[in-house]
Amino acid sequence: MKRADVVADPNPADLAPEGWAQALFDGIDDAVFVHDLQGRILRANPAACQRLGYTREEMLHLTTRDIDDPEFAAGFGDRLRNQLAQGQARFEGRHRTKDGALIPVDINTSAIVIDGKPAVLAVMRDITHHKRAEEALRKQTELLQSILANMADGVLVADQAGRLLVSNPEAGRLFGLGAEDVGSTDWPWHFGLSLPDTMTPFPGGTLPLAQATRGEPVGEVELFVRHAGAPQGCWVSVTGGPLRDARGEIKGGVLVCRDISGRMHAERRQAAQYAVTRVLAEADTLEDAAPAMLRAIGEGLGWQVCGLWTVAPGGQELRCVAAWHRPGLPVEEFVEASLRLTCPRGVGLPGKVWAEGKEAWVCDEAAYAHYPRYPAALRCGLHGGFAFPVKSGGETLGVIEAFGGDLERPDEGLLSMMAALGSQVGQVLERHRIERALRESEAFYHSLVESLPQNIFRKDLQGRVTFGNQRYCATLRRPLEDLIGKTDFDLFPADLAAKYREDDRRVQESGATLDVVEEHVLPGGRKIYVQVIKTPICDGQGLVIGTQGMFWDVTERKRAEEALAGSERRYRQLTEATLDGIVVADRSGRVTLFNPAAERIFACRAGEVVGQPLEVLIPPQYAEGHAQGFERYLQTGLARIVGRTVELEGQRKDGTIFPLELALSVIGGDPERGCEGPDVQFLGAVRDLTERNRIRAVLVQQEKLASIGLLSAGVAHEINNPLAFVANNLAVLERDNKGLLALLELYHDNAGPLARADPDVAARAAALAEEIDLDYIRGNLPRLLNRTRDGVDRVTRIVQSLRGLARTDSPRKQETHLPDLVDNTLEIMRGRLRRRGIEVELDYDPLPRVSCVSTQIGQVLLNLMVNAVQAIEACPLAVPGRVGVRILRQEKEMLIEVSDNGCGIEEEYVSRLFDPFFTTKDVGEGTGLGLSISHNIVTGHGGRIEVKSRPSEGSTFRVFLPLHPLRDAP
Ligand code: ADP
């Protein structure tokens, strides 16, 4: 230390510029110069000249102000005074080189005497490097500070004396340290003091900082810390080690602390939940589990008091069934109040949770001041509470509550954990409820089984009896003790026992119920029929562990059933054989039986109808009336048609409606209650009236036609006689008229000569002729007589026709080739057909012969053809007319069909077509007798005539003649 050497010499007077001193002055590495009290530089060594960039000569012309930084130079006077007073001084300054650069310097001055005058010796050292290092250190310290300030971890540094050297903001937050604690030995974490909270035990009983200061590493020690700034406390993980100096000597300790409250909460919650789960799983009842469960919750989550409330029997209020509090805390008053209290819905914290079905907490005292336990809670220092529901299947069965000195609003994690716990406890409560119900139902089952009149037994998988009710024991005539452990082989004949065993095995293997009626042999040997139901018995896991059986005597029923089956068989045979349709329906109106005849009548199969409502057989327009009648009968027993035969209409499957005769009767049912019995059935015997009605209609028509015919013939006969003499007289009149006219002619031609003979008579005759308009009479008389003749002829023809209506004589029948008759008719009609351009289509059977009165059938053909042509003529000309004649052999009949595409027939006229005098044609066009006469002729041949027609579409008349008439008719 050169500088120290210089400084160490206190006597300036001895220092003289001797030869060695000059050598030292010149050779020294530090810049040295001497200036007088005015600052003039008197001497300067080479190092000084070189540093400042001047030659020695230049230097000796300078003052200190020239080489000082102006700011530094300003303090020259003060420094000099100070220096002179002390004898020596040391300070830092800044020199300026010749080229203007500033150099930081460390200056040591000593007062000396040179050449007898006081002067100052200044030794300067360039401290640029040192300054740079200092600057770097300052920056580094700043950086460190900002790192410490922004670190997520807390950092604490203390020296060996326990003085707090460093505490960054996070450490301050975690441990409640302020700026005033730095540098102090009396700070809360001083390792001589205990922690503010006693909750966390320390490994080895030593605080981590003390441990670090002793030189031991501290590895992730977890501590719980609570202080005024963090009343709910926080968990901190601490890592650290000794603080050493450059030589490696221990100077103190460093701790890095991390807030692990989040993780610890989660872990402790999980642990608490696990503990509760274990407690619940191990305890038999909730009462047993409750204390341990509440302790696990309270300790795990850091609460001071916990309680379990359940809904009291009756369901009107909650009762606290268990409570726990942290040992040593003076909260007895609150706990006792809880155990004494009952909370109806909505009252107190538990009542609120019960009413709302969700968690609730108390952290605002004012809002909960009305709670019944509020005063007690305050006195016990419990300022916050939290409660959540115990639920099962959405129903709140109870409430768990917790209180503490200060409870903050619970976070999401806590809420979801509590919800999970609530449902876990709820399931236990529910299980207990079910178990209780099961015990009760078992007792109920047992008493039921004992009081049932059925035989009930249970057997294990090996077929050994494990239970039998009293009835079973009585049936087997043994006490239960005797039966237990026996198999069927001990109790029944071998073949029967083998069968029972086999049944058991099937039930056990398939899991299905066996339900049969079988023979059973009583101990006395009597055979009875029993209804047996066997089901598998399963354990809690669904594994089959045996069979349960139940049987009872159905011998009577079986006999009755057999009798019934026999009767049903007979009944079925009967209904199936009958020609009448039989339809049976039950009291709901659904068809239960539909015999083959009914199938024929309604044209549908029994399978399509049975099970369906009766309405499927009834035309829609009657369906409502049917339903009302049916309902009325079921309600009042008053029937309109039961027991009578009525004519109604039915509906076939294809929708066609047909007349039917129905005989309805009520069968089965309770004779006392009549229609009210559940077994009541309705039997309808149905007869299709279609054919009967058709025949009846034909008969009526024939009857009508016959009587009209007779009447007409009678009238015709009566008219015939006067008509005969009218006709005769007319002939005479015509003849005489001719003579008279000839006479008049003669008279007229000779009027002149006659007048001359007797002018008087001639004048009278002329006046008379004038008066009667003789000329006109002469011309008109023959015309008058001609028209009269026409009229009489027409009346004669009609009378002839009418007489034919009642013809009783039987003209001879002969084998007739029908096409010949058609040809004749066409011949007569030829002109008319041609005029209207009517086309005729002919279609003949290869053997178109039939035995008939050919003139009569010819007349029928002519009538039909005339009508066809007239119908076509009634149509607009534009429509091309067409008449078809078809002769076709059909089994036992010959069909003659005449069709046209004329005007057709209105539906309302069809039934009247064959009536005599029915016509739609103008006078002179038609007499209305053609079809009537044709009908008579055809029926007279044992045949029939039918018509099918639609207005404006044409008509088809069909004449059926028997090929082999039964009698030679008519
Ligand atoms: P008429 O022909 O003298 O009237 P009918 O007894 O032959 O007497 O016929 C009775 C009625 O039947 C006719 O007036 C006519 O209305 C109807 N009719 C008969 N045949 C036909 C047919 N082919 N086309 C349309 N209407 C017919």
Side-chain angles (χ1 to χ4, degrees):
M1 295 291 289
K2 293 169 186 168
R3 181 172 61 98
D5 291 348
V6 174
V7 174
D9 188 345
N11 187 1
D14 290 348
L15 198 67
E18 302 293 332
W20 65 270
Q22 185 65 45
L24 176 68
F25 184 75
D26 289 340
I28 197 164
D29 190 37
D30 290 332
V32 184
F33 58 90
V34 179
H35 61 82
D36 61 15
L37 295 187
Q38 283 72 44
R40 283 187 295 262
I41 293 170
L42 305 177
R43 307 243 172 117
N45 75 345
C49 299
Q50 192 218 331
R51 288 283 157 81
L52 294 166
Y54 298 99
T55 61
R56 191 184 287 247
E57 283 67 37
E58 284 171 338
M59 278 293 283
L60 295 179
H61 287 94
L62 300 176
T63 66
T64 53
R65 278 179 293 281
D66 297 320
I67 61 166
D68 282 350
D69 169 45
E71 201 183 315
F72 180 57
F76 176 78
D78 291 346
R79 283 197 299 275
L80 184 66
R81 261 192 308 281
N82 193 23
Q83 197 269 322
L84 291 176
Q86 305 271 325
Q88 60 179 38
R90 183 174 182 184
F91 42 85
E92 282 185 8
R94 248 188 335 264
H95 280 166
R96 197 177 51 190
T97 62
K98 187 179 176 185
D99 54 14
L102 295 176
I103 318 166
V105 285
D106 179 67
I107 305 172
N108 260 305
T109 59
S110 308
I112 56 171
V113 176
I114 202 158
D115 300 335
K117 287 179 189 162
V120 175
L121 172 81
V123 180
M124 297 149 303
R125 175 163 293 177
D126 182 344
I127 56 168
T128 307
H129 288 296
H130 174 73
K131 276 285 168 198
R132 280 202 192 121
E134 241 180 35
E135 179 61 17
L137 186 64
R138 193 183 56 74
K139 283 201 175 133
Q140 206 173 338
T141 310
E142 258 175 29
L143 184 68
L144 187 65
Q145 288 296 341
S146 103
I147 290 173
L148 283 174
N150 294 303
M151 250 172 97
D153 290 339
V155 178
L156 287 179
V157 183
D159 66 12
Q160 274 186 305
R163 193 189 324 275
L164 180 63
L165 300 180
V166 173
S167 161
N168 74 342
E170 174 65 3
R173 185 186 73 79
L174 288 174
F175 303 115
L177 298 174
E180 68 282 0
D181 293 309
V182 179
S184 155
T185 51
D186 185 21
W187 54 289
W189 252 68
H190 180 250
F191 48 81
L193 302 171
S194 60
L195 276 172
D197 197 281
T198 53
M199 275 188 65
T200 325
F202 301 107
T206 322
L207 283 168
L209 192 55
Q211 205 179 329
T213 317
R214 281 207 305 265
E216 293 161 18
V218 179
E220 298 198 12
V221 177
E222 287 171 355
L223 305 175
F224 184 75
V225 189
R226 188 149 35 191
H227 53 83
Q232 75 281 14
C234 54
W235 282 92
V236 184
S237 163
V238 181
T239 321
L243 177 73
R244 293 178 195 271
D245 67 5
R247 285 192 296 276
E249 277 173 26
I250 295 173
K251 293 290 176 194
V254 181
L255 294 184
V256 177
C257 314
R258 176 163 293 180
D259 184 349
I260 53 165
S261 304
R263 195 193 81 208
M264 287 304 278
H265 274 146
E267 277 177 12
R268 290 182 69 90
R269 284 172 188 179
Q270 213 170 14
Q273 199 170 358
Y274 174 69
V276 171
T277 309
R278 211 183 47 225
V279 166
L280 289 176
E282 285 170 1
D284 279 340
T285 66
L286 191 65
E287 288 71 33
D288 293 348
M293 175 185 81
L294 293 175
R295 195 181 65 235
I297 295 175
E299 280 181 351
L301 304 177
W303 288 330
Q304 296 176 1
V305 179
C306 293
L308 169 68
W309 299 66
T310 58
V311 178
Q316 296 303 312
E317 54 198 15
L318 286 177
R319 191 162 288 165
C320 181
V321 291
W324 168 90
H325 66 89
R326 196 175 316 152
L329 282 183
V331 291
E332 278 83 4
E333 185 192 351
F334 182 79
V335 171
E336 275 164 22
S338 302
L339 290 168
R340 248 196 342 267
L341 196 72
T342 55
C343 287
R345 262 179 219 271
V347 172
L349 189 60
K352 178 177 163 71
V353 171
W354 187 23
E356 293 174 1
K358 61 178 179 106
E359 69 287 337
W361 55 91
V362 187
C363 46
D364 169 11
E365 290 178 16
Y368 301 101
H370 61 281
Y371 280 10
R373 287 174 296 164
Y374 175 68
L378 276 198
R379 282 193 291 276
C380 294
L382 301 170
H383 298 290
F386 174 51
F388 57 92
V390 169
K391 279 188 168 187
S392 174
E395 191 194 346
T396 301
L397 305 174
V399 173
I400 292 177
E401 63 172 8
F403 288 86
D406 265 308
L407 273 188
E408 291 207 322
R409 189 190 166 91
D411 57 50
E412 278 302 314
L414 184 61
L415 288 182
S416 71
M417 174 199 161
M418 288 307 167
L421 266 187
S423 77
Q424 222 172 348
V425 179
Q427 278 163 20
V428 174
L429 273 182
E430 183 62 21
R431 200 178 67 218
H432 288 161
R433 216 157 67 163
I434 292 170
E435 278 167 5
R436 205 167 43 242
L438 202 65
R439 275 198 302 280
E440 280 165 14
S441 108
E442 259 174 18
F444 172 74
Y445 169 80
H446 192 76
S447 74
L448 185 75
V449 158
E450 284 305 351
S451 55
L452 277 179
Q454 279 83 4
N455 297 268
I456 298 172
F457 60 84
R458 284 202 288 266
K459 287 187 264 180
D460 64 14
L461 282 179
Q462 284 70 45
R464 291 182 296 244
V465 174
T466 55
F467 170 78
N469 72 347
Q470 286 166 11
R471 172 56 78 103
Y472 183 71
C473 299
T475 304
L476 295 190
R477 295 186 197 159
R478 292 182 193 221
L480 184 60
E481 310 82 80
D482 262 19
L483 290 174
I484 300 275
K486 298 268 182 339
T487 70
D488 289 333
F489 290 95
D490 303 321
L491 302 171
F492 303 107
D495 51 342
L496 211 54
K499 180 199 172 311
Y500 291 162
R501 186 86 189 93
E502 178 58 21
D503 286 349
D504 289 349
R505 201 187 50 73
R506 268 216 312 279
V507 167
Q508 286 158 6
E509 280 175 9
S510 67
T513 300
L514 176 90
D515 184 349
V516 286
V517 173
E518 60 190 23
E519 263 189 13
H520 183 75
V521 182
L522 291 178
R526 189 165 77 88
K527 276 189 184 172
I528 58 169
Y529 284 106
V530 288
Q531 169 88 48
V532 184
I533 294 177
K534 277 186 181 172
T535 47
I537 310 175
C538 297
D539 66 5
Q541 273 77 50
L543 286 177
V544 176
I545 52 165
T547 335
Q548 168 160 283
M550 186 168 170
F551 65 88
W552 61 97
D553 187 347
V554 291
T555 313
E556 282 305 309
R557 193 188 82 196
K558 179 96 177 148
R559 299 230 163 96
E561 268 173 15
E562 275 171 1
L564 189 68
S567 120
E568 263 196 358
R569 220 171 19 252
R570 285 193 295 280
Y571 163 70
R572 197 159 285 281
Q573 283 164 353
L574 199 70
T575 56
E576 276 175 16
T578 173
L579 283 174
D580 280 348
I582 304 282
V583 180
V584 179
D586 61 16
R587 59 172 296 140
S588 71
R590 289 185 181 276
V591 176
T592 54
L593 187 142
F594 201 70
N595 77 341
E599 286 184 330
R600 272 195 307 279
I601 292 172
F602 288 94
C604 55
R605 304 192 49 78
E608 296 168 312
V609 180
V610 171
Q612 299 294 315
L614 272 172
E615 275 83 348
V616 299
L617 307 174
I618 296 172
Q621 63 265 39
Y622 303 121
E624 201 185 322
H626 155 77
Q628 284 169 1
F630 199 80
E631 193 56 32
R632 187 181 49 242
Y633 178 71
L634 287 177
Q635 278 171 10
T636 64
L638 295 176
R640 290 193 183 150
I641 58 170
V642 172
R644 292 195 295 132
T645 300
V646 288
E647 287 191 16
L648 301 168
E649 283 187 325
Q651 177 173 265
R652 297 201 175 91
K653 185 184 170 188
D654 62 3
T656 52
I657 294 178
F658 65 98
L660 58 79
E661 184 182 74
L662 171 73
L664 186 65
S665 48
V666 178
I667 52 173
D670 183 342
E672 298 275 302
R673 294 189 295 160
C675 56
E676 286 169 29
D679 304 332
V680 70
Q681 304 246 14
F682 299 89
L683 183 144
V686 179
R687 198 166 283 176
D688 187 348
L689 296 184
T690 312
E691 189 56 20
R692 193 204 70 179
N693 282 5
R694 199 183 66 77
I695 291 168
R696 183 185 283 178
V698 170
L699 281 178
V700 167
Q701 174 72 358
Q702 284 187 350
E703 205 57 27
K704 187 175 78 184
L705 293 184
S707 57
I708 294 174
L710 270 179
L711 183 73
S712 310
V715 172
H717 186 74
E718 286 305 313
I719 294 172
N720 205 31
N721 281 342
L723 185 64
F725 65 74
V726 168
N728 284 341
N729 289 357
L730 185 61
V732 174
L733 201 60
E734 282 169 334
R735 191 195 64 205
D736 293 354
N737 186 44
K738 255 187 207 141
L740 281 174
L741 282 180
L743 181 68
L744 274 178
E745 203 67 28
L746 188 65
Y747 159 75
H748 186 262
D749 291 347
N750 297 294
L754 282 178
R756 280 189 297 273
D758 186 347
D760 249 11
V761 175
R764 280 207 331 262
L768 194 59
E770 180 69 35
E771 197 183 351
I772 63 171
D773 195 359
L774 183 63
D775 288 344
Y776 172 77
I777 290 177
R778 274 173 51 218
N780 193 39
L781 255 182
R783 284 201 299 277
L784 203 65
L785 284 173
N786 273 345
R787 281 209 296 279
T788 307
R789 160 64 54 204
D790 280 354
V792 169
D793 284 354
R794 209 165 126 217
V795 173
T796 308
R797 274 202 309 278
I798 291 173
V799 168
Q800 286 303 323
S801 300
L802 284 179
R803 292 178 70 201
L805 281 178
R807 205 191 319 260
T808 47
D809 54 345
S810 44
R812 264 175 34 86
K813 279 190 191 170
Q814 56 199 32
E815 192 73 5
T816 308
H817 185 245
L818 291 173
D820 292 346
L821 296 184
V822 179
D823 289 345
N824 285 344
T825 315
L826 288 176
E827 191 55 39
I828 298 168
M829 303 286 300
R830 185 187 305 276
R832 217 165 157 178
L833 289 168
R834 198 180 318 114
R835 264 201 304 284
R836 179 62 166 77
I838 296 172
E839 195 186 317
V840 180
E841 291 168 10
L842 300 171
D843 181 9
Y844 299 149
D845 190 272
L847 255 180
R849 288 182 171 277
V850 74
S851 164
C852 65
V853 183
S854 56
T855 49
Q856 289 182 359
I857 298 302
Q859 188 185 348
V860 170
L861 264 174
L862 184 64
N863 284 344
L864 296 181
M865 288 289 281
V866 169
N867 282 344
V869 170
Q870 282 179 332
I872 290 169
E873 285 169 347
C875 288
L877 258 178
V879 184
R882 187 189 50 73
V883 172
V885 182
R886 205 150 67 102
I887 295 172
L888 188 68
R889 181 180 290 264
Q890 286 191 336
E891 289 186 13
K892 296 174 179 171
E893 289 171 319
M894 183 63 82
L895 163 67
I896 307 164
E897 187 183 88
V898 178
S899 57
D900 64 72
N901 62 345
C903 60
I905 306 167
E906 296 293 331
E907 202 182 326
E908 57 190 293
Y909 298 151
V910 170
S911 61
R912 298 164 60 195
L913 288 184
F914 299 99
D915 291 356
F917 303 113
F918 174 79
T919 179
T920 58
K921 296 168 190 167
D922 294 337
V923 181
E925 270 281 293
T927 56
L929 287 173
L931 286 180
S932 168
I933 290 169
S934 301
H935 183 271
N936 266 9
I937 293 173
V938 173
T939 50
H941 276 75
R944 63 184 196 279
I945 179 165
E946 289 176 354
V947 61
K948 235 165 77 183
S949 177
R950 273 171 179 275
S952 72
E953 280 181 21
S955 317
T956 301
F957 284 81
R958 287 198 171 111
V959 173
F960 295 91
L961 294 176
L963 288 172
H964 311 289
L966 287 174
R967 58 192 171 89
D968 202 19

